[in-house]
Every structure is written in structure tokens, then in C-alpha cells.
Amino acid sequence: MTVAEMIKKTRTEANMTQGEYGAKFGVSRQTVSSWENGRSLPDLQMLIDICNTYHVSLDKLLNEDKEFVEKIDFYNKYKKAIRLVGMCLLAGLLIFAIVFINWKITERNMNQAFEMNAEKLGFVKGELYELEKDNVRYRLC
């Protein structure tokens, strides 16, 4: 028996509509319909709740429905891959932020050093750094 068949069997034996069955487990009628048609599957905790409620052996069910077990394995691997990609993106973003902040700090320090050196040489800051000596005007850009 597959998970879809078990869900339909337990619902019909309890003389419940899909809406009533869904309400019992906190899901919509459409979700129950998707489960029964095999378009989607309940998560493992929901499956455990259903099996406990209707006294169905989860071990026996999983041994009979190999496709469900393979999907659980696939989704677990998929979640791990997504988590790994997310961690890599986060690490990349962190590295970018550190490099950017370091670059801005270095740029500010270089500008301050330039201004201090220009002032030591006698240049005055206006729009440009200018120095007038012996009727000759020097400009730093």
C-alpha cells in the first residue's frame, strides 16, 4: 500500500470528507486531495501523526512505499544542497563586505595622508590644492 492509498483508505473508513480529514490534521481539503492523488506527500511528522491516529504501522507503510522513501531522501539531499549554497553565498557576502570596508578605510587614510603632506608642503585646500611661491602658482589635482 502506498502513502496515497493509505490516506484515502483511512479517510473513507472513518467516513470523513477530504475537508474534515484535512481539518483534523490542520491542512486544507486541496492538500488532502493532492495527497490522495499522489501529486504531493505529507511531511514525515504529518505522516507519523496520521499513522498514530489510525493505528497504521509506519514501518510497514514505508517498507511498502519505496517511492515515498526515495522522495524523502531526495528532499533531504536537496535541503542540504540549498543550505550549503546559502552558506557559501553568505560567506561570499561577508568576504565582500570585509574587503569593501577595508578598501574604504584605506582610501580614507590615503586621502588624509595626502592632505597632511600637502599642508606640510604649504599647499592650501580650496577647490584644488594651491601653492603660490615667487609669483608662480602650483596646483595639485
Short mmCIF file of all heavy atoms in Angstrom, two decimals, residues 55-104:
data_model
loop_
_atom_site.label_atom_id
_atom_site.label_comp_id
_atom_site.label_asym_id
_atom_site.label_seq_id
_atom_site.Cartn_x
_atom_site.Cartn_y
_atom_site.Cartn_z
N HIS A 55 -3.73 3.99 13.66
CA HIS A 55 -3.08 2.73 14.04
C HIS A 55 -2.55 1.96 12.82
O HIS A 55 -2.79 0.78 12.66
CB HIS A 55 -4.02 1.86 14.89
CG HIS A 55 -4.60 2.60 16.04
ND1 HIS A 55 -3.84 2.99 17.13
CD2 HIS A 55 -5.86 3.06 16.28
CE1 HIS A 55 -4.61 3.65 17.98
NE2 HIS A 55 -5.84 3.71 17.49
N VAL A 56 -1.85 2.70 11.99
CA VAL A 56 -1.20 2.10 10.82
C VAL A 56 0.28 2.01 11.14
O VAL A 56 0.87 2.96 11.67
CB VAL A 56 -1.44 2.96 9.55
CG1 VAL A 56 -0.66 2.42 8.37
CG2 VAL A 56 -2.92 3.08 9.24
N SER A 57 0.91 0.89 10.81
CA SER A 57 2.33 0.71 11.06
C SER A 57 3.13 1.55 10.08
O SER A 57 3.11 1.31 8.87
CB SER A 57 2.70 -0.77 10.91
OG SER A 57 4.11 -0.90 10.91
N LEU A 58 3.82 2.54 10.63
CA LEU A 58 4.65 3.39 9.78
C LEU A 58 5.78 2.58 9.14
O LEU A 58 6.09 2.76 7.96
CB LEU A 58 5.22 4.55 10.59
CG LEU A 58 6.08 5.56 9.85
CD1 LEU A 58 5.28 6.24 8.74
CD2 LEU A 58 6.66 6.59 10.79
N ASP A 59 6.35 1.67 9.90
CA ASP A 59 7.44 0.83 9.39
C ASP A 59 6.95 0.01 8.19
O ASP A 59 7.60 -0.02 7.15
CB ASP A 59 7.94 -0.08 10.51
CG ASP A 59 9.10 -0.95 10.07
OD1 ASP A 59 10.02 -0.41 9.43
OD2 ASP A 59 9.07 -2.16 10.34
N LYS A 60 5.82 -0.62 8.33
CA LYS A 60 5.28 -1.44 7.24
C LYS A 60 4.95 -0.57 6.03
O LYS A 60 5.25 -0.92 4.89
CB LYS A 60 4.02 -2.17 7.72
CG LYS A 60 3.43 -3.09 6.69
CD LYS A 60 2.22 -3.83 7.23
CE LYS A 60 1.63 -4.67 6.11
NZ LYS A 60 0.29 -5.11 6.40
N LEU A 61 4.34 0.60 6.30
CA LEU A 61 3.97 1.51 5.21
C LEU A 61 5.21 1.95 4.43
O LEU A 61 5.22 1.94 3.20
CB LEU A 61 3.23 2.73 5.77
CG LEU A 61 2.79 3.77 4.76
CD1 LEU A 61 1.73 3.20 3.83
CD2 LEU A 61 2.26 5.00 5.47
N LEU A 62 6.26 2.34 5.14
CA LEU A 62 7.48 2.82 4.47
C LEU A 62 8.18 1.69 3.74
O LEU A 62 8.79 1.92 2.70
CB LEU A 62 8.41 3.49 5.47
CG LEU A 62 7.90 4.80 6.07
CD1 LEU A 62 8.91 5.35 7.07
CD2 LEU A 62 7.58 5.83 5.01
N ASN A 63 8.11 0.48 4.28
CA ASN A 63 8.72 -0.65 3.57
C ASN A 63 7.98 -0.98 2.28
O ASN A 63 8.58 -1.47 1.33
CB ASN A 63 8.78 -1.89 4.48
CG ASN A 63 9.91 -1.82 5.46
OD1 ASN A 63 10.97 -1.28 5.15
ND2 ASN A 63 9.70 -2.33 6.66
N GLU A 64 6.68 -0.70 2.24
CA GLU A 64 5.90 -0.99 1.04
C GLU A 64 5.96 0.13 0.01
O GLU A 64 5.77 -0.09 -1.17
CB GLU A 64 4.43 -1.25 1.42
CG GLU A 64 4.23 -2.55 2.16
CD GLU A 64 2.78 -2.79 2.57
OE1 GLU A 64 1.89 -2.06 2.09
OE2 GLU A 64 2.55 -3.70 3.38
N ASP A 65 6.19 1.37 0.47
CA ASP A 65 6.18 2.52 -0.44
C ASP A 65 7.60 3.05 -0.62
O ASP A 65 8.00 4.05 -0.05
CB ASP A 65 5.26 3.61 0.09
CG ASP A 65 4.92 4.66 -0.96
OD1 ASP A 65 5.55 4.65 -2.04
OD2 ASP A 65 4.03 5.49 -0.72
N LYS A 66 8.37 2.37 -1.45
CA LYS A 66 9.77 2.73 -1.69
C LYS A 66 9.89 4.11 -2.33
O LYS A 66 10.83 4.85 -2.06
CB LYS A 66 10.46 1.70 -2.58
CG LYS A 66 10.48 0.30 -2.03
CD LYS A 66 11.39 0.20 -0.85
CE LYS A 66 11.43 -1.26 -0.38
NZ LYS A 66 11.95 -1.40 0.95
N GLU A 67 8.92 4.46 -3.17
CA GLU A 67 8.95 5.76 -3.86
C GLU A 67 8.90 6.91 -2.84
O GLU A 67 9.61 7.91 -2.98
CB GLU A 67 7.78 5.87 -4.82
CG GLU A 67 7.80 7.12 -5.67
CD GLU A 67 6.65 7.18 -6.65
OE1 GLU A 67 6.27 6.12 -7.20
OE2 GLU A 67 6.13 8.28 -6.87
N PHE A 68 8.07 6.77 -1.81
CA PHE A 68 7.97 7.80 -0.77
C PHE A 68 9.30 7.96 -0.05
O PHE A 68 9.77 9.08 0.18
CB PHE A 68 6.86 7.45 0.22
CG PHE A 68 6.70 8.46 1.32
CD1 PHE A 68 6.08 9.68 1.09
CD2 PHE A 68 7.17 8.20 2.60
CE1 PHE A 68 5.93 10.62 2.09
CE2 PHE A 68 7.02 9.13 3.61
CZ PHE A 68 6.41 10.34 3.36
N VAL A 69 9.93 6.85 0.29
CA VAL A 69 11.22 6.89 0.98
C VAL A 69 12.27 7.56 0.10
O VAL A 69 13.06 8.37 0.58
CB VAL A 69 11.65 5.46 1.39
CG1 VAL A 69 13.05 5.47 1.97
CG2 VAL A 69 10.66 4.87 2.39
N GLU A 70 12.25 7.26 -1.20
CA GLU A 70 13.21 7.89 -2.13
C GLU A 70 12.97 9.39 -2.21
O GLU A 70 13.92 10.17 -2.28
CB GLU A 70 13.09 7.26 -3.51
CG GLU A 70 13.64 5.84 -3.57
CD GLU A 70 13.36 5.15 -4.90
OE1 GLU A 70 12.80 5.78 -5.82
OE2 GLU A 70 13.71 3.96 -5.02
N LYS A 71 11.70 9.82 -2.19
CA LYS A 71 11.41 11.25 -2.23
C LYS A 71 11.88 11.94 -0.96
O LYS A 71 12.40 13.06 -1.02
CB LYS A 71 9.90 11.48 -2.45
CG LYS A 71 9.47 11.21 -3.86
CD LYS A 71 8.00 11.49 -4.05
CE LYS A 71 7.59 11.19 -5.48
NZ LYS A 71 6.16 11.40 -5.71
N ILE A 72 11.70 11.28 0.18
CA ILE A 72 12.19 11.86 1.44
C ILE A 72 13.70 12.03 1.36
O ILE A 72 14.23 13.08 1.72
CB ILE A 72 11.80 10.99 2.65
CG1 ILE A 72 10.29 11.05 2.90
CG2 ILE A 72 12.55 11.42 3.90
CD1 ILE A 72 9.80 10.09 3.96
N ASP A 73 14.40 11.01 0.88
CA ASP A 73 15.86 11.10 0.74
C ASP A 73 16.25 12.23 -0.21
O ASP A 73 17.17 12.98 0.06
CB ASP A 73 16.44 9.78 0.23
CG ASP A 73 16.44 8.69 1.29
OD1 ASP A 73 16.30 9.03 2.48
OD2 ASP A 73 16.56 7.51 0.92
N PHE A 74 15.52 12.35 -1.34
CA PHE A 74 15.82 13.40 -2.31
C PHE A 74 15.64 14.78 -1.68
O PHE A 74 16.50 15.65 -1.82
CB PHE A 74 14.92 13.27 -3.54
CG PHE A 74 15.02 14.43 -4.47
CD1 PHE A 74 16.10 14.55 -5.32
CD2 PHE A 74 14.05 15.43 -4.48
CE1 PHE A 74 16.22 15.63 -6.17
CE2 PHE A 74 14.16 16.51 -5.33
CZ PHE A 74 15.24 16.61 -6.18
N TYR A 75 14.52 14.97 -0.97
CA TYR A 75 14.27 16.28 -0.36
C TYR A 75 15.28 16.60 0.72
O TYR A 75 15.69 17.76 0.87
CB TYR A 75 12.84 16.36 0.19
CG TYR A 75 11.80 16.43 -0.90
CD1 TYR A 75 10.73 15.56 -0.93
CD2 TYR A 75 11.89 17.37 -1.92
CE1 TYR A 75 9.78 15.60 -1.93
CE2 TYR A 75 10.95 17.43 -2.93
CZ TYR A 75 9.90 16.55 -2.93
OH TYR A 75 8.96 16.61 -3.92
N ASN A 76 15.73 15.61 1.46
CA ASN A 76 16.76 15.86 2.47
C ASN A 76 18.08 16.26 1.81
O ASN A 76 18.75 17.19 2.27
CB ASN A 76 16.97 14.62 3.35
CG ASN A 76 15.86 14.46 4.37
OD1 ASN A 76 15.20 15.42 4.73
ND2 ASN A 76 15.66 13.24 4.83
N LYS A 77 18.44 15.61 0.72
CA LYS A 77 19.65 15.98 -0.01
C LYS A 77 19.51 17.37 -0.62
O LYS A 77 20.45 18.16 -0.61
CB LYS A 77 19.96 14.95 -1.09
CG LYS A 77 20.43 13.62 -0.55
CD LYS A 77 20.63 12.61 -1.65
CE LYS A 77 20.98 11.25 -1.07
NZ LYS A 77 21.08 10.22 -2.09
N TYR A 78 18.32 17.66 -1.14
CA TYR A 78 18.04 18.97 -1.74
C TYR A 78 18.17 20.06 -0.68
O TYR A 78 18.78 21.10 -0.92
CB TYR A 78 16.64 18.94 -2.34
CG TYR A 78 16.21 20.21 -3.03
CD1 TYR A 78 16.76 20.57 -4.25
CD2 TYR A 78 15.25 21.04 -2.46
CE1 TYR A 78 16.37 21.73 -4.89
CE2 TYR A 78 14.86 22.20 -3.10
CZ TYR A 78 15.41 22.54 -4.31
OH TYR A 78 15.02 23.69 -4.92
N LYS A 79 17.60 19.82 0.51
CA LYS A 79 17.70 20.81 1.58
C LYS A 79 19.14 21.03 1.99
O LYS A 79 19.56 22.17 2.22
CB LYS A 79 16.87 20.39 2.80
CG LYS A 79 15.39 20.63 2.64
CD LYS A 79 14.64 20.56 3.94
CE LYS A 79 14.59 19.20 4.51
NZ LYS A 79 13.71 19.06 5.67
N LYS A 80 19.93 19.96 2.05
CA LYS A 80 21.33 20.10 2.41
C LYS A 80 22.08 20.91 1.35
O LYS A 80 22.91 21.76 1.68
CB LYS A 80 21.98 18.73 2.56
CG LYS A 80 21.58 18.00 3.83
CD LYS A 80 22.24 16.65 3.92
CE LYS A 80 21.75 15.88 5.13
NZ LYS A 80 22.33 14.53 5.18
N ALA A 81 21.78 20.67 0.08
CA ALA A 81 22.44 21.41 -1.00
C ALA A 81 22.07 22.89 -0.94
O ALA A 81 22.93 23.76 -1.10
CB ALA A 81 22.05 20.82 -2.36
N ILE A 82 20.79 23.18 -0.71
CA ILE A 82 20.34 24.57 -0.61
C ILE A 82 21.02 25.25 0.58
O ILE A 82 21.46 26.40 0.49
CB ILE A 82 18.81 24.64 -0.47
CG1 ILE A 82 18.13 24.18 -1.76
CG2 ILE A 82 18.34 26.03 -0.08
CD1 ILE A 82 18.41 25.08 -2.95
N ARG A 83 21.12 24.55 1.69
CA ARG A 83 21.77 25.10 2.87
C ARG A 83 23.24 25.39 2.58
O ARG A 83 23.76 26.44 2.96
CB ARG A 83 21.63 24.13 4.04
CG ARG A 83 22.01 24.74 5.37
CD ARG A 83 21.72 23.81 6.54
NE ARG A 83 20.29 23.57 6.65
CZ ARG A 83 19.76 22.36 6.82
NH1 ARG A 83 20.52 21.30 6.91
NH2 ARG A 83 18.46 22.21 6.91
N LEU A 84 23.91 24.47 1.86
CA LEU A 84 25.31 24.66 1.52
C LEU A 84 25.49 25.87 0.60
O LEU A 84 26.38 26.69 0.81
CB LEU A 84 25.87 23.40 0.85
CG LEU A 84 27.33 23.46 0.40
CD1 LEU A 84 28.25 23.62 1.61
CD2 LEU A 84 27.70 22.21 -0.37
N VAL A 85 24.63 25.99 -0.41
CA VAL A 85 24.69 27.14 -1.31
C VAL A 85 24.46 28.44 -0.54
O VAL A 85 25.15 29.44 -0.73
CB VAL A 85 23.68 26.99 -2.47
CG1 VAL A 85 23.53 28.28 -3.26
CG2 VAL A 85 24.11 25.86 -3.39
N GLY A 86 23.49 28.42 0.36
CA GLY A 86 23.21 29.60 1.18
C GLY A 86 24.39 30.00 2.04
O GLY A 86 24.72 31.18 2.15
N MET A 87 25.04 29.01 2.63
CA MET A 87 26.21 29.29 3.46
C MET A 87 27.35 29.86 2.61
O MET A 87 28.05 30.78 3.05
CB MET A 87 26.66 28.02 4.19
CG MET A 87 25.66 27.51 5.20
SD MET A 87 25.34 28.66 6.52
CE MET A 87 26.80 28.45 7.49
N CYS A 88 27.53 29.32 1.41
CA CYS A 88 28.57 29.84 0.52
C CYS A 88 28.28 31.28 0.11
O CYS A 88 29.18 32.13 0.10
CB CYS A 88 28.71 28.96 -0.72
SG CYS A 88 29.44 27.35 -0.39
N LEU A 89 27.02 31.56 -0.21
CA LEU A 89 26.65 32.93 -0.55
C LEU A 89 26.85 33.87 0.62
O LEU A 89 27.34 34.99 0.46
CB LEU A 89 25.19 32.98 -1.03
CG LEU A 89 24.91 32.39 -2.40
CD1 LEU A 89 23.41 32.38 -2.68
CD2 LEU A 89 25.64 33.17 -3.48
N LEU A 90 26.49 33.43 1.80
CA LEU A 90 26.67 34.25 3.00
C LEU A 90 28.16 34.51 3.25
O LEU A 90 28.56 35.64 3.55
CB LEU A 90 26.04 33.56 4.21
CG LEU A 90 26.07 34.33 5.51
CD1 LEU A 90 25.28 35.64 5.37
CD2 LEU A 90 25.48 33.50 6.63
N ALA A 91 28.98 33.47 3.09
CA ALA A 91 30.43 33.64 3.27
C ALA A 91 30.98 34.61 2.22
O ALA A 91 31.81 35.48 2.55
CB ALA A 91 31.13 32.29 3.17
N GLY A 92 30.54 34.47 0.97
CA GLY A 92 30.98 35.39 -0.08
C GLY A 92 30.58 36.82 0.21
O GLY A 92 31.37 37.75 0.02
N LEU A 93 29.36 37.00 0.69
CA LEU A 93 28.89 38.34 1.04
C LEU A 93 29.70 38.92 2.18
O LEU A 93 30.06 40.10 2.17
CB LEU A 93 27.40 38.29 1.39
CG LEU A 93 26.74 39.62 1.69
CD1 LEU A 93 26.78 40.53 0.46
CD2 LEU A 93 25.31 39.40 2.12
N LEU A 94 30.02 38.09 3.16
CA LEU A 94 30.82 38.54 4.29
C LEU A 94 32.23 38.94 3.84
O LEU A 94 32.74 39.99 4.24
CB LEU A 94 30.89 37.44 5.34
CG LEU A 94 31.61 37.78 6.64
CD1 LEU A 94 30.92 38.93 7.35
CD2 LEU A 94 31.65 36.56 7.54
N ILE A 95 32.82 38.14 2.99
CA ILE A 95 34.16 38.46 2.47
C ILE A 95 34.10 39.76 1.67
O ILE A 95 34.97 40.63 1.81
CB ILE A 95 34.71 37.30 1.62
CG1 ILE A 95 35.05 36.12 2.53
CG2 ILE A 95 35.93 37.73 0.81
CD1 ILE A 95 35.36 34.83 1.80
N PHE A 96 33.07 39.91 0.82
CA PHE A 96 32.92 41.15 0.05
C PHE A 96 32.81 42.35 0.98
O PHE A 96 33.43 43.39 0.74
CB PHE A 96 31.70 41.06 -0.86
CG PHE A 96 31.40 42.33 -1.58
CD1 PHE A 96 32.15 42.71 -2.68
CD2 PHE A 96 30.39 43.17 -1.15
CE1 PHE A 96 31.89 43.89 -3.35
CE2 PHE A 96 30.12 44.36 -1.80
CZ PHE A 96 30.87 44.72 -2.90
N ALA A 97 32.00 42.22 2.03
CA ALA A 97 31.82 43.34 2.97
C ALA A 97 33.13 43.69 3.65
O ALA A 97 33.47 44.88 3.79
CB ALA A 97 30.75 42.98 4.02
N ILE A 98 33.90 42.69 4.05
CA ILE A 98 35.19 42.95 4.71
C ILE A 98 36.15 43.65 3.75
O ILE A 98 36.80 44.63 4.11
CB ILE A 98 35.80 41.63 5.25
CG1 ILE A 98 34.97 41.13 6.43
CG2 ILE A 98 37.26 41.81 5.63
CD1 ILE A 98 35.31 39.73 6.89
N VAL A 99 36.22 43.17 2.51
CA VAL A 99 37.11 43.79 1.52
C VAL A 99 36.67 45.22 1.22
O VAL A 99 37.49 46.14 1.15
CB VAL A 99 37.16 42.94 0.22
CG1 VAL A 99 37.83 43.68 -0.91
CG2 VAL A 99 37.86 41.62 0.50
N PHE A 100 35.35 45.43 1.07
CA PHE A 100 34.84 46.77 0.78
C PHE A 100 35.14 47.74 1.92
O PHE A 100 35.60 48.87 1.69
CB PHE A 100 33.33 46.70 0.52
CG PHE A 100 32.72 48.02 0.18
CD1 PHE A 100 32.87 48.57 -1.08
CD2 PHE A 100 32.01 48.73 1.14
CE1 PHE A 100 32.31 49.80 -1.40
CE2 PHE A 100 31.45 49.96 0.83
CZ PHE A 100 31.60 50.50 -0.43
N ILE A 101 34.90 47.31 3.16
CA ILE A 101 35.16 48.17 4.31
C ILE A 101 36.66 48.47 4.41
O ILE A 101 37.05 49.62 4.64
CB ILE A 101 34.63 47.52 5.60
CG1 ILE A 101 33.10 47.53 5.60
CG2 ILE A 101 35.17 48.21 6.84
CD1 ILE A 101 32.46 46.68 6.67
N ASN A 102 37.49 47.47 4.19
CA ASN A 102 38.94 47.68 4.22
C ASN A 102 39.37 48.66 3.14
O ASN A 102 40.19 49.54 3.38
CB ASN A 102 39.65 46.34 4.07
CG ASN A 102 41.15 46.47 4.25
OD1 ASN A 102 41.61 47.21 5.12
ND2 ASN A 102 41.91 45.78 3.42
N TRP A 103 38.79 48.53 1.95
CA TRP A 103 39.11 49.44 0.86
C TRP A 103 38.72 50.88 1.21
O TRP A 103 39.49 51.81 0.97
CB TRP A 103 38.38 48.98 -0.40
CG TRP A 103 38.48 49.92 -1.56
CD1 TRP A 103 39.60 50.33 -2.22
CD2 TRP A 103 37.39 50.59 -2.21
NE1 TRP A 103 39.28 51.20 -3.23
CE2 TRP A 103 37.92 51.38 -3.25
CE3 TRP A 103 36.02 50.59 -2.01
CZ2 TRP A 103 37.14 52.16 -4.06
CZ3 TRP A 103 35.23 51.37 -2.83
CH2 TRP A 103 35.80 52.14 -3.85
N LYS A 104 37.52 51.06 1.79
CA LYS A 104 37.08 52.42 2.15
C LYS A 104 37.96 53.02 3.24
O LYS A 104 38.30 54.20 3.20
CB LYS A 104 35.62 52.40 2.61
CG LYS A 104 34.64 52.19 1.47
CD LYS A 104 34.90 53.15 0.35
CE LYS A 104 33.80 54.12 0.13
NZ LYS A 104 34.05 55.00 -1.00
#
